[in-house]
């Protein structure tokens, strides 16, 4: 019996996908080659529904997320009065120097913080897929209390 040995290659498209973001949402961009020409196709995250990007297209974890603009606050409270940090901060820190001011998180029960207390709450990612602290923090001092509150917030 005689014959030819070998293999047969079937041309298949090579699809590459990238998760991108625009001004509205995340979407998928498919890169492929058709007849030697590069082609891109944008779809919703299901990979089939056509999508037309809105505004500037960028990598979701790219430059836009890597260098967010951060606003910082610091307030020292001596005596009676509140310091409120609205929900959505990236970090909140309190240092108590004298007295025992109270702290209520997200409208919960207020808890006394004795002198010497130092507490911090924070998240580590910002940008397009950013994390924030979901609750408001309300620190309340009375006569003789001395404390300082700092916060950061992505703007």
């Amino acid at each position: 019996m005689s014959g030819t040995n070998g293999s047969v290659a079937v041309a298949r498209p090579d699809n590459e996908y990238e998760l991108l973001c625009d001004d509205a949402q995340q979407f998928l961009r498919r890169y492929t080659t058709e007849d030697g020409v590069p082609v891109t196709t944008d779809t919703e995250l299901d990979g089939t529904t056509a999508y037309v990007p809105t505004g500037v297209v960028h990598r979701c974890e790219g430059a836009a997320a890597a260098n967010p603009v951060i606003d910082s606050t610091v307030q020292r409270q001596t005596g009676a009065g509140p310091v409120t940090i609205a929900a959505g901060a990236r970090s909140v820190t309190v240092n108590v120097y004298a007295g025992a001011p109270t702290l209520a998180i997200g409208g919960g029960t207020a808890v006394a913080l004795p002198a010497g207390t130092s507490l911090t709450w924070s998240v580590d990612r910002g940008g397009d897929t950013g994390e924030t602290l979901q609750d408001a923090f309300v620190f309340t001092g009375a006569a003789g209390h001395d404390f300082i509150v700092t916060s950061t917030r992505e703007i």
Side-chain angles (χ1 to χ4, degrees):
M1 179 189 237
S2 66
T4 305
N5 287 329
S7 64
V8 176
V10 176
R12 292 186 182 151
D14 179 22
N15 294 316
E16 300 291 330
Y17 293 86
E18 183 172 20
L19 179 65
L20 296 173
C21 289
D22 63 9
D23 291 347
Q25 67 184 47
Q26 293 180 334
F27 64 95
L28 288 176
R29 178 164 286 168
R30 182 179 69 226
Y31 301 92
T32 191
T33 303
E34 293 179 12
D35 298 323
V37 177
V39 176
T40 61
T41 305
D42 296 331
T43 65
E44 292 187 10
L45 297 180
D46 65 10
T48 57
T49 305
Y51 182 75
V52 177
T54 303
V56 177
V57 173
H58 58 276
R59 289 185 177 160
C60 298
E61 292 293 325
N67 297 305
V69 177
I70 302 295
D71 181 44
S72 301
T73 66
V74 62
Q75 182 174 342
R76 187 161 189 172
Q77 180 67 37
T78 55
V83 175
T84 301
I85 305 298
R90 291 209 33 211
S91 70
V92 176
T93 298
V94 61
N95 291 299
V96 181
Y97 303 116
T102 61
L103 165 61
I105 300 175
T109 303
V111 175
L113 304 176
T117 298
S118 178
L119 299 171
T120 297
W121 299 261
S122 67
V123 296
D124 64 350
R125 283 190 356 204
D128 293 335
T129 59
E131 302 168 325
T132 62
L133 298 169
Q134 71 178 9
D135 295 317
F137 292 73
V138 179
F139 302 89
T140 304
H145 293 177
D146 184 6
F147 61 99
I148 193 166
V149 177
T150 63
S151 71
T152 61
R153 180 179 305 277
E154 190 170 327
I155 55 173

